[in-house]
Amino acid sequence: MSKKALKRIAAALERISPAPIGTPDFGAASAFVWHPDPDRLVPVARVNRVGVELLVGVDRSRDTLMANTVQFAAGLPANNALLWGARGMGKSSLVKAVHGAVNADYAGLKIVEVQREDLPSIGRCLNLLRGASERFIMFCDDLSFGHDDAHYKSLKAVLDGGIEGRPDNVVLYATSNRRHLMPRDMIENERSSAISPSEAVEEKVSLSDRFGLWLGFHPCDQDEYLTMIRGYCDAYGVAIDDATLRAEAIEWQATRGSRSGRVAWQYFTDLAGRRGVSLS
């Protein structure tokens, strides 16, 4: 093949290859979403969240996560946090609400959401954040691992950091329905079928031990459920008397077979729509 042909091939490959990612403009937003292939941090103009004062029944978790986040934003030592427990009880809402509250006082605090399926690329994301003057909450929502799932190994890059160490300006907040990030029946199956039962389970289960904070979320009772809805009504100016709210809200949760913060918000969204009140 001639040199001229090789040059044409090289030029064509250069054109189709992705350009190297530049230093992101972290001043463009307070929140970003990580996308690999090609690697980029996409700014989020408006974060989907509610005010931290509207989260009911999670006072202890709220105060603990708030204190940890303020420490981190101020440049002090802080722990990675795992928010685990009942679905729909405000785990991810709390992370976003706390970031919003702390960001109001510490503009340099950013949040970067990483999808579970993108964990293998998390090391490259850390390289972009390392050395920046801003501080970053790396947020992974609904985290869990199945059998033969190797994604948890990538997560260790954030929790342990390998030889380089986790960047001082990055902390990880993750949510999961499972305290040990894997189903209990899978844990028992590993223990019963492995040659060395304790070693078979320990590697995956011990991942949750690498979070300095474990914040548990439990199902709410009826009073908390109704208090959540009343709080939303007051915050957004939706007028409704207590008797009507109670009757409608209880019927709403009965038709869904569950009671949670998510169900409370769904009822309130329906109520606001019927009353002609915009939530934007």
Side-chain angles (χ1 to χ4, degrees), residues 17 70-71 78 101 138 144-145 156 180 190 197 209 227 258:
S17 63
V70 169
Q71 287 174 205
M138 185 168 281
S144 64
F145 302 105
K156 290 182 180 180
H180 290 301
E190 292 270 9
D209 293 337
T227 300
S258 65

Side-chain angles (χ1 to χ4, degrees), residues 3-188:
K3 289 184 178 180
K4 189 175 181 180
L6 288 173
K7 287 181 179 179
R8 286 201 305 268
I9 294 173
L13 290 174
E14 187 174 340
R15 285 195 300 271
I16 64 175
S17 63
I21 186 171
T23 303
D25 178 13
F26 293 121
S30 65
F32 297 82
V33 177
W34 168 250
H35 292 286
D37 304 323
D39 295 347
R40 62 203 185 279
L41 284 164
V42 178
V44 178
R46 185 173 180 269
V47 178
N48 178 29
R49 60 182 162 213
V50 298
V52 70
E53 70 281 356
L54 293 178
L55 299 177
V56 175
V58 294
D59 296 8
R60 184 174 181 182
S61 295
R62 177 200 62 207
D63 294 345
T64 302
L65 191 66
M66 181 71 77
N68 190 70
T69 306
V70 169
Q71 287 174 205
F72 176 68
L76 299 171
N79 275 304
N80 299 311
L82 174 63
L83 290 72
W84 68 275
R87 68 184 189 276
M89 279 307 299
K91 298 182 293 293
S92 60
S93 295
L94 180 59
V95 172
K96 292 182 288 186
V98 164
H99 167 256
V102 177
N103 176 257
D105 295 322
Y106 296 89
L109 178 66
K110 312 294 181 178
I111 188 168
V112 175
E113 184 173 19
V114 178
Q115 302 297 326
R116 178 192 171 279
E117 57 269 23
D118 294 330
L119 286 176
S121 66
I122 205 168
R124 304 199 299 273
C125 182
L126 288 176
N127 287 336
L128 290 176
L129 306 181
R130 190 186 302 271
S133 59
E134 294 82 2
R135 301 182 73 77
F136 302 93
I137 297 171
M138 185 168 281
F139 174 44
C140 190
D141 193 23
D142 198 19
L143 188 63
S144 64
F145 302 105
H147 184 65
D148 294 332
D149 191 338
H151 284 67
Y152 73 94
K153 294 182 179 179
S154 302
L155 190 57
K156 290 182 180 180
V158 183
L159 297 173
D160 292 337
I163 193 171
E164 287 185 293
R166 175 169 54 87
D168 292 335
N169 63 335
V170 177
V171 70
L172 175 69
Y173 289 176
T175 70
S176 178
N177 293 335
R178 304 170 179 136
R179 185 176 64 174
H180 290 301
L181 304 177
M182 58 189 297
R184 182 175 295 274
D185 59 348
M186 188 176 298
I187 295 175
E188 297 303 326

Side-chain angles (χ1 to χ4, degrees), residues 195-256:
I195 296 175
S196 179
S198 60
E199 290 181 4
V201 176
E202 186 173 356
E203 184 178 25
K204 289 182 179 177
V205 171
S206 66
L207 182 63
S208 61
D209 293 337
R210 290 174 164 83
F211 290 89
L213 293 180
W214 280 13
L215 304 177
F217 289 71
H218 308 287
C220 62
D221 59 29
Q222 185 166 284
D223 288 341
E224 289 174 332
Y225 169 71
L226 294 173
T227 300
M228 291 174 190
I229 299 171
R230 173 52 68 189
Y232 295 145
C233 290
D234 293 344
Y236 289 94
V238 176
I240 183 172
D241 64 89
D242 289 341
T244 303
L245 185 151
R246 181 182 181 87
E248 289 188 1
I250 291 176
E251 180 183 3
W252 183 276
Q253 63 92 17
T255 62
R256 279 146 187 79

